[in-house]
């Protein structure tokens, strides 16, 4: 919780200096890398700073997502957009918890030593690679330009008639 408070404060103070899309992408990738670190070097000494930094990054990413949605969603549809986002996030988190929990349980019964480490490392790698891969390969530049224009109309291209 302390990390999330610190992340919220940092976004409030410094958030206007960075792109929301970049914050979402690279913050999510950093969360994945922190999960890998937690899975490979698990000890209480490393857990506390990793948890604090992870909480700060999670708060920053979620604030950036909500701000971007608020700026891009039509005023009359914001309730539907935000409730749909919350439903999707809750479903993904619950589904991931069941899959990862089941996998850890299964690996433990198969004799794998410390299966939670394997699960943290694997899930972290997936999150980091998916985030970076989306940014590099899947996000079309027009989408990024459109999001930037909606976020800051002063930088929108001028149409010449």
């Amino acid at each position: 919780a302390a990390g999330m408070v610190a992340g919220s404060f940092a976004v409030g103070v410094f958030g206007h200096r960075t792109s929301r899309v970049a914050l979402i992408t690279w913050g999510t990738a950093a969360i994945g890398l922190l999960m890998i670190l937690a899975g490979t070097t698990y000890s209480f000494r490393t857990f506390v700073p990793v948890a604090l930094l992870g909480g700060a990054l999670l708060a920053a990413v979620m604030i950036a997502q909500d701000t971007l949605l608020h700026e891009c969603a039509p005023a009359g549809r914001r309730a539907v957009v935000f409730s749909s986002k919350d439903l999707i996030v809750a479903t993904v988190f619950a589904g991931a918890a069941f899959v990862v929990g089941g996998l850890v349980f299964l690996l433990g019964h198969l004799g794998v030593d410390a299966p939670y480490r394997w699960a943290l490392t694997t899930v972290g790698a997936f999150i980091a690679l998916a985030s970076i891969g989306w940014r590099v390969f899947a996000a079309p530049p027009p989408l990024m330009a459109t999001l930037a224009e909606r976020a800051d109309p002063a930088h929108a291209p001028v149409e010449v008639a």
Side-chain angles (χ1 to χ4, degrees):
M4 293 186 80
V5 170
S8 298
F9 179 75
V11 169
V13 173
F14 303 109
H16 64 283
R17 297 182 187 174
T18 185
S19 159
R20 288 174 189 85
V21 174
L23 182 59
I24 293 165
T25 303
W26 301 117
T28 303
I31 289 170
L33 293 174
L34 285 172
M35 290 179 73
I36 294 170
L37 179 65
T40 56
T41 62
Y42 188 82
S43 72
F44 189 73
R45 192 176 337 155
T46 58
F47 176 74
V48 172
V50 165
L52 285 171
L53 187 55
L57 287 168
L58 181 63
V61 166
M62 293 181 81
I63 290 168
Q65 288 174 346
D66 285 348
T67 303
L68 198 58
L69 278 175
H70 181 78
E71 291 171 346
C72 294
R77 304 292 296 167
R78 286 191 184 131
V80 172
V81 169
F82 279 97
S83 62
S84 299
K85 182 209 68 135
D86 288 342
L87 178 64
I88 291 167
V89 167
T91 302
V92 168
F93 275 128
F98 279 115
V99 170
V100 172
L103 188 59
V104 168
F105 180 77
L106 177 65
L107 290 173
H109 278 287
L110 293 175
V112 174
D113 187 37
Y116 59 89
R117 290 183 182 207
W118 183 88
L120 277 173
T121 303
T122 303
V123 171
F126 175 77
I127 290 171
L129 291 173
S131 178
I132 294 168
W134 179 83
R135 177 68 176 198
V136 172
F137 299 111
L143 171 65
M144 294 300 132
T146 302
L147 291 175
E149 290 167 17
R150 288 183 182 171
D152 189 4
H155 292 95
V158 177
E159 291 185 25
V160 179

